Amino acid sequence: MDALLKVDWHAVFTPQHSLLELFLRGTIMYLVIVVLLRIVVRRQVGGISMTDILVIVLIAEVAGSGISDSFQSVVESTVLVGTVLFWSTLIDWLQSRFPAFERLVRDRKLKLIDNGRMLRKNMREEFVSVEELMAQVREKGLEDCRDVKAAYMEADGRISVIPRDGK
Protein backbone atom coordinates (compact mmCIF):
# COMPACT_ATOMS: atom_id res chain seq x y z
CA MET A 1 0.00 0.00 0.00
CA ASP A 2 2.86 2.37 0.83
CA ALA A 3 4.34 1.77 -2.66
CA LEU A 4 1.07 2.90 -4.26
CA LEU A 5 1.18 6.25 -2.52
CA LYS A 6 4.89 6.91 -3.00
CA VAL A 7 5.64 9.53 -5.68
CA ASP A 8 9.07 10.14 -7.18
CA TRP A 9 8.78 13.94 -7.41
CA HIS A 10 12.25 14.20 -8.89
CA ALA A 11 11.24 12.00 -11.86
CA VAL A 12 7.97 13.93 -12.29
CA PHE A 13 9.62 17.34 -12.64
CA THR A 14 13.14 16.60 -13.89
CA PRO A 15 13.42 16.29 -17.68
CA GLN A 16 15.19 13.24 -19.05
CA HIS A 17 16.32 15.11 -22.17
CA SER A 18 17.37 18.61 -23.14
CA LEU A 19 14.43 21.02 -23.15
CA LEU A 20 15.89 22.69 -26.25
CA GLU A 21 15.99 19.32 -28.05
CA LEU A 22 12.35 18.64 -27.11
CA PHE A 23 11.36 22.11 -28.30
CA LEU A 24 13.23 21.61 -31.61
CA ARG A 25 11.68 18.16 -32.16
CA GLY A 26 8.18 19.51 -31.55
CA THR A 27 8.79 22.52 -33.78
CA ILE A 28 10.24 20.49 -36.67
CA MET A 29 7.46 17.88 -36.58
CA TYR A 30 4.79 20.58 -36.40
CA LEU A 31 6.22 22.45 -39.38
CA VAL A 32 6.71 19.23 -41.39
CA ILE A 33 3.09 18.20 -40.85
CA VAL A 34 1.73 21.68 -41.66
CA VAL A 35 3.77 21.91 -44.88
CA LEU A 36 2.92 18.37 -46.03
CA LEU A 37 -0.78 18.82 -45.28
CA ARG A 38 -0.82 22.14 -47.16
CA ILE A 39 0.77 20.45 -50.17
CA VAL A 40 -1.36 17.30 -50.13
CA VAL A 41 -4.76 18.35 -48.76
CA ARG A 42 -5.96 20.98 -51.20
CA ARG A 43 -9.69 20.61 -51.10
CA GLN A 44 -12.49 19.49 -48.85
CA VAL A 45 -15.67 18.37 -50.57
CA GLY A 46 -17.81 17.30 -47.65
CA GLY A 47 -17.27 16.18 -44.12
CA ILE A 48 -14.45 14.11 -42.78
CA SER A 49 -14.29 10.68 -44.37
CA MET A 50 -13.07 7.43 -42.84
CA THR A 51 -9.84 7.79 -44.83
CA ASP A 52 -9.30 11.31 -43.45
CA ILE A 53 -9.68 10.02 -39.90
CA LEU A 54 -7.23 7.20 -40.59
CA VAL A 55 -4.67 9.65 -41.99
CA ILE A 56 -5.05 11.95 -38.98
CA VAL A 57 -4.61 9.08 -36.51
CA LEU A 58 -1.60 7.67 -38.36
CA ILE A 59 0.07 11.06 -38.63
CA ALA A 60 -0.49 11.69 -34.92
CA GLU A 61 1.05 8.32 -34.05
CA VAL A 62 4.05 8.72 -36.34
CA ALA A 63 4.68 12.36 -35.46
CA GLY A 64 4.44 11.59 -31.75
CA SER A 65 7.32 9.16 -32.13
CA GLY A 66 9.43 11.89 -33.70
CA ILE A 67 8.64 14.40 -31.01
CA SER A 68 9.78 12.02 -28.30
CA ASP A 69 13.40 11.01 -28.81
CA SER A 70 12.88 7.60 -27.23
CA PHE A 71 11.53 6.18 -30.50
CA GLN A 72 12.98 7.59 -33.70
CA SER A 73 14.60 10.61 -35.28
CA VAL A 74 12.74 13.56 -36.74
CA VAL A 75 13.90 12.48 -40.21
CA GLU A 76 12.43 8.99 -39.73
CA SER A 77 9.15 10.48 -38.52
CA THR A 78 9.07 12.87 -41.47
CA VAL A 79 9.54 9.98 -43.90
CA LEU A 80 6.72 8.05 -42.20
CA VAL A 81 4.37 11.07 -42.25
CA GLY A 82 5.23 11.57 -45.93
CA THR A 83 4.51 7.89 -46.59
CA VAL A 84 1.08 8.11 -44.97
CA LEU A 85 0.24 11.23 -46.99
CA PHE A 86 1.61 9.62 -50.20
CA TRP A 87 -0.70 6.61 -49.86
CA SER A 88 -3.65 8.80 -48.96
CA THR A 89 -3.07 10.97 -52.04
CA LEU A 90 -2.49 7.95 -54.30
CA ILE A 91 -5.71 6.29 -53.17
CA ASP A 92 -7.65 9.55 -53.73
CA TRP A 93 -6.10 9.87 -57.20
CA LEU A 94 -6.93 6.25 -58.09
CA GLN A 95 -10.53 6.77 -56.94
CA SER A 96 -10.89 9.85 -59.11
CA ARG A 97 -9.47 8.13 -62.19
CA PHE A 98 -10.86 4.59 -61.96
CA PRO A 99 -14.54 4.08 -61.03
CA ALA A 100 -13.95 0.37 -60.32
CA PHE A 101 -11.29 1.26 -57.77
CA GLU A 102 -13.60 3.83 -56.18
CA ARG A 103 -16.35 1.21 -55.81
CA LEU A 104 -13.81 -1.11 -54.20
CA VAL A 105 -12.54 1.46 -51.66
CA ARG A 106 -15.43 3.82 -50.93
CA ASP A 107 -18.68 2.96 -49.18
CA ARG A 108 -21.74 3.03 -51.38
CA LYS A 109 -24.63 5.37 -50.80
CA LEU A 110 -27.71 3.72 -49.33
CA LYS A 111 -31.28 4.82 -49.96
CA LEU A 112 -33.20 5.56 -46.75
CA ILE A 113 -36.41 7.06 -48.18
CA ASP A 114 -37.95 6.11 -51.51
CA ASN A 115 -40.91 8.17 -52.76
CA GLY A 116 -41.99 9.19 -49.27
CA ARG A 117 -41.57 5.71 -47.73
CA MET A 118 -38.88 4.99 -45.15
CA LEU A 119 -36.78 1.94 -45.98
CA ARG A 120 -36.49 0.54 -42.46
CA LYS A 121 -34.23 -2.37 -43.43
CA ASN A 122 -31.66 0.06 -44.86
CA MET A 123 -32.06 2.34 -41.83
CA ARG A 124 -31.32 -0.59 -39.50
CA GLU A 125 -28.27 -1.50 -41.61
CA GLU A 126 -26.80 1.99 -41.01
CA PHE A 127 -28.16 2.36 -37.44
CA VAL A 128 -30.27 5.40 -38.41
CA SER A 129 -33.27 6.03 -36.18
CA VAL A 130 -36.54 7.49 -37.42
CA GLU A 131 -35.88 10.61 -35.34
CA GLU A 132 -32.40 11.11 -36.83
CA LEU A 133 -33.76 10.75 -40.35
CA MET A 134 -36.68 13.09 -39.67
CA ALA A 135 -34.28 15.68 -38.21
CA GLN A 136 -32.43 15.66 -41.54
CA VAL A 137 -35.74 15.97 -43.42
CA ARG A 138 -36.77 18.93 -41.24
CA GLU A 139 -33.37 20.61 -41.83
CA LYS A 140 -34.31 20.69 -45.52
CA GLY A 141 -37.54 22.55 -44.62
CA LEU A 142 -39.81 19.53 -45.07
CA GLU A 143 -42.26 18.37 -42.42
CA ASP A 144 -43.01 14.81 -43.47
CA CYS A 145 -41.16 12.03 -45.23
CA ARG A 146 -44.03 11.95 -47.78
CA ASP A 147 -42.55 15.25 -49.02
CA VAL A 148 -39.28 13.46 -49.84
CA LYS A 149 -38.59 11.91 -53.23
CA ALA A 150 -35.43 10.21 -51.93
CA ALA A 151 -32.98 10.34 -49.05
CA TYR A 152 -29.57 8.69 -49.03
CA MET A 153 -26.91 7.88 -46.48
CA GLU A 154 -23.87 9.12 -48.39
CA ALA A 155 -20.43 7.49 -48.32
CA ASP A 156 -19.15 10.15 -45.89
CA GLY A 157 -21.98 9.52 -43.40
CA ARG A 158 -24.10 12.56 -44.26
CA ILE A 159 -27.76 12.16 -45.18
CA SER A 160 -28.83 13.90 -48.37
CA VAL A 161 -32.50 14.64 -48.94
CA ILE A 162 -34.15 15.21 -52.32
CA PRO A 163 -37.59 16.84 -52.01
CA ARG A 164 -40.52 15.92 -54.24
CA ASP A 165 -41.26 18.34 -57.05
CA GLY A 166 -42.94 21.48 -55.81
CA LYS A 167 -41.70 21.18 -52.21
Side-chain angles (χ1 to χ4, degrees):
M1 180 71 172
D2 192 36
L4 291 175
L5 300 176
K6 186 176 181 182
V7 176
D8 183 358
W9 292 105
H10 179 73
V12 170
F13 291 106
T14 305
Q16 298 286 324
H17 307 285
S18 160
L19 295 179
L20 180 58
E21 178 184 343
L22 292 172
F23 177 79
L24 287 173
R25 283 175 173 275
T27 301
I28 291 168
M29 288 312 303
Y30 176 81
L31 294 174
V32 163
I33 291 169
V34 166
V35 169
L36 289 175
L37 287 176
R38 295 263 187 220
I39 291 169
V40 174
V41 182
R42 294 186 199 143
R43 62 179 175 84
Q44 183 170 345
V45 175
I48 295 177
S49 70
M50 183 93 64
T51 309
D52 296 331
I53 293 170
L54 175 64
V55 168
I56 291 167
V57 168
L58 287 173
I59 287 174
E61 176 66 26
V62 169
S65 297
I67 291 171
S68 166
D69 77 340
S70 61
F71 293 103
Q72 58 200 31
S73 73
V74 171
V75 173
E76 291 168 322
S77 288
T78 301
V79 168
L80 289 172
V81 167
T83 301
V84 169
L85 291 174
F86 165 78
W87 282 108
S88 174
T89 303
L90 180 63
I91 288 171
D92 286 345
W93 181 83
L94 289 170
Q95 287 180 42
S96 71
R97 299 296 189 271
F98 304 102
F101 187 79
E102 181 178 21
R103 284 190 299 275
L104 177 70
V105 173
R106 196 172 296 274
D107 288 336
R108 63 183 172 86
K109 67 181 179 185
L110 183 66
K111 194 176 249 189
L112 301 176
I113 297 178
D114 185 29
N115 288 318
R117 188 176 57 83
M118 289 185 193
L119 303 176
R120 304 230 183 225
K121 179 181 176 243
N122 291 356
M123 290 169 62
R124 279 191 303 274
E125 185 178 319
E126 290 296 325
F127 305 108
V128 175
S129 70
V130 171
E131 190 53 41
E132 287 175 306
L133 183 55
M134 289 309 299
Q136 295 297 316
V137 169
R138 288 189 297 273
E139 282 186 13
K140 298 296 182 193
L142 306 171
E143 291 185 46
D144 194 274
C145 71
R146 290 181 293 227
D147 299 331
V148 177
K149 179 178 179 182
Y152 295 93
M153 171 70 78
E154 299 294 343
D156 65 0
R158 292 180 299 124
I159 296 176
S160 59
V161 177
I162 303 168
R164 287 187 185 267
D165 293 335
K167 293 290 178 184

